[in-house]
Amino acid sequence: MKNEEIIENYPKYMMNTYTRQPIAISHGKGVKVWDNDGNEYIDLFAGIAVNNLGHAHPNILKTLREQGEKVVHCSNIYYNENQLKLAKLLNELIPNTKVFFANSGAEANEGAIKLARKYTKKTEIISAKNSFHGRTLATVTATGQPKYSEPFKPLPSGFKHVTFGDIDELKNTVNDKTAAIILEVVQGEGGIITSDESYFKEVEKICKENKTLLILDEVQTGFGRCGKMFASELYNLKPDVTTVAKGIGGGFPMGAIIANEKVAEGFQPGDHGTTFGGTPLACAVAIASINTILDENLIENSENLGKYFKKELLKLKDKYCFIKDIRGYGLMIGVELDITCFNIVDKARKKGFLINCTAKNVIRLTPPLIVKKEEIDIFIKTIDEIFLEISDQSIEGD
Ligand SMILES: *Cc1c(COP(=O)(O)O)cnc(C)c1O
């Protein structure tokens, strides 16, 4: 099928929940993907910070084949070696923790909220305005953007929102009912926004003083995305609970709640569960993905090329007055404009690059961690051309 036939037929059979780019992805290799009309793209979005190893990485393919021939799913009624191996690997990455395997970011956060209430025997959850934590009823309520939750009232109770980065507001909101504070280290969907180390350190202190859990939502920032294995390492944070998903499985759906040993005891048999969470296949692929990140020094690549990417983007900021800010860590970069960026995404796609626009005016760049300098260079050249076109148009329009 060609792009057009696929796109035309979607509304007949699919719920209309996504604003999609007008191409159908057919296949990929490394940082490149192709659509059904045969057009080639450099993928600087990686399926929302998921495809850390790019597309069709040999280690992922080998694991999919080998594990697929053994057993794909067996249910959590039985033990499985791959779960244990992945749990041990995660325990090495975040010491003194135990893990629960889920299937997605929303599920990981939903489970973390349940765990916090069960462990602390308290009820309230505080999250940040402009945050994003998922689409289940509890996580959409934790998400600090009313547009996502308003249509679905009544929402679960016990959720409060504070301004991200405002420590006094947080102090005034925490009380003896606060079970947990859940934060992204870098707000991804909200526009690649972070706070400083002193804010997060204060949050840790407030949590300790109030016997409140700190949950860091590393669904988007985890597994090398921000130039560290976890973004918590940027500020040397020790959360009680870390939730992960997106990048964990090199494209395979998987999520996890990683809680410190003591908090993990909050869940006892029957308290929480999932049919699919941590299948032998999902765990095998996650192990392969994480080991490849470590073996191929992709965290270093994320840090170094992230710095390079930002440096090159900053040169463009000097050239175009509508670029307001360049920010982010590692290969999670935001380019804030004072104009919307949807048409820039269109122009980039037509020139062979997949990028994303979030929060209306922030270009979100989250390439696979295997991206090379040359690919960044041709993108910079292309986006420079696009920015020039736009500034020419705005001058003509004056
Ligand atoms: C994407 C995302 C989620 C939701 O993950 P899903 O797998 O889509 O459920 C939660 N938190 C953050 C920070 C995310 O970026």
Side-chain angles (χ1 to χ4, degrees), residues 48 103-107 109 132-135 184 186 188-189 217-221 243 245-246 254 364:
I48 322 186
N103 306 288
S104 68
E107 266 186 53
N109 287 330
F132 186 84
H133 298 295
R135 302 288 200 146
E184 293 159 273
V186 182
E189 206 270 346
D217 177 347
E218 294 239 29
V219 168
Q220 193 161 153
T221 52
T243 55
K246 291 194 168 86
M254 154 75 93
R364 175 167 46 171

Side-chain angles (χ1 to χ4, degrees), residues 88-371:
K88 272 182 83 174
L89 183 54
L90 293 171
N91 178 273
E92 281 163 29
L93 300 178
I94 310 181
N96 308 314
T97 55
K98 293 184 184 182
V99 64
F100 175 90
F101 292 118
N103 306 288
S104 68
E107 266 186 53
N109 287 330
E110 182 91 17
I113 290 165
K114 285 174 71 178
L115 178 63
R117 284 183 172 169
K118 177 97 195 312
Y119 175 78
T120 62
K121 300 188 177 69
K122 299 195 269 186
T123 54
E124 286 183 3
I125 307 292
I126 299 174
S127 59
K129 289 176 185 162
N130 197 49
S131 62
F132 186 84
H133 298 295
R135 302 288 200 146
T136 62
L137 274 175
T139 58
V140 89
T141 307
T143 290
Q145 304 187 57
K147 66 175 178 190
Y148 290 123
S149 58
E150 283 291 322
F152 307 108
K153 287 180 165 175
L155 301 170
S157 57
F159 289 82
K160 287 180 175 170
H161 300 95
V162 295
T163 309
F164 189 42
D166 186 334
I167 203 69
D168 291 327
E169 194 183 334
L170 186 65
K171 272 183 193 155
N172 293 331
T173 309
V174 174
N175 61 35
D176 57 10
K177 293 203 278 298
T178 314
I181 297 170
I182 179 166
L183 295 172
E184 293 159 273
V185 180
V186 182
Q187 294 184 331
E189 206 270 346
I192 320 290
I193 295 166
T194 187
S195 190
D196 49 20
E197 179 160 353
S198 66
Y199 172 73
F200 286 103
K201 287 284 177 200
E202 277 294 313
V203 174
E204 278 191 330
K205 220 172 101 194
I206 291 171
C207 285
K208 284 222 164 60
E209 285 166 4
N210 292 278
K211 295 193 164 53
T212 291
L213 300 185
L214 175 60
I215 303 171
L216 290 185
D217 177 347
E218 294 239 29
V219 168
Q220 193 161 153
T221 52
F223 300 100
R225 177 54 52 196
C226 290
K228 304 279 179 198
M229 184 53 91
F230 296 103
S232 60
E233 295 164 37
L234 292 167
Y235 304 136
N236 198 19
L237 304 174
K238 300 268 178 285
D240 300 288
V241 181
T242 302
T243 55
V244 296
K246 291 194 168 86
I248 189 174
F252 204 85
M254 154 75 93
I257 309 166
I258 306 168
N260 81 38
E261 280 167 352
K262 211 161 149 247
V263 173
E265 300 304 320
F267 275 161
Q268 291 301 315
D271 281 338
H272 197 52
T274 155
T275 299
F276 286 121
T279 65
L281 182 60
C283 290
V285 177
I287 292 166
S289 176
I290 295 167
N291 281 334
T292 305
I293 289 172
L294 294 170
D295 295 345
E296 296 185 2
N297 298 320
L298 295 181
I299 293 177
E300 225 181 308
N301 197 55
S302 174
E303 187 176 10
N304 294 340
L305 284 190
K307 277 188 188 142
Y308 176 74
F309 207 160
K310 276 205 295 191
K311 195 183 83 194
E312 294 301 301
L313 287 165
L314 276 167
K315 289 184 195 160
L316 298 181
K317 183 171 176 278
D318 293 337
K319 232 166 123 181
Y320 302 105
C321 62
F322 52 80
I323 303 179
K324 275 174 71 183
D325 194 19
I326 312 285
R327 57 178 177 250
Y329 291 103
L331 290 171
M332 182 168 174
I333 298 173
V335 180
E336 186 181 343
L337 309 177
D338 60 14
I339 51 177
T340 73
C341 49
F342 295 110
N343 66 329
I344 294 172
V345 172
D346 282 338
K347 284 176 189 286
R349 191 187 61 251
K350 286 173 188 155
K351 289 175 185 277
F353 292 89
L354 301 187
I355 60 171
N356 174 251
C357 174
T358 192
K360 288 198 182 82
N361 63 336
V362 181
I363 299 173
R364 175 167 46 171
L365 301 162
T366 53
L369 307 186
I370 57 163
V371 73

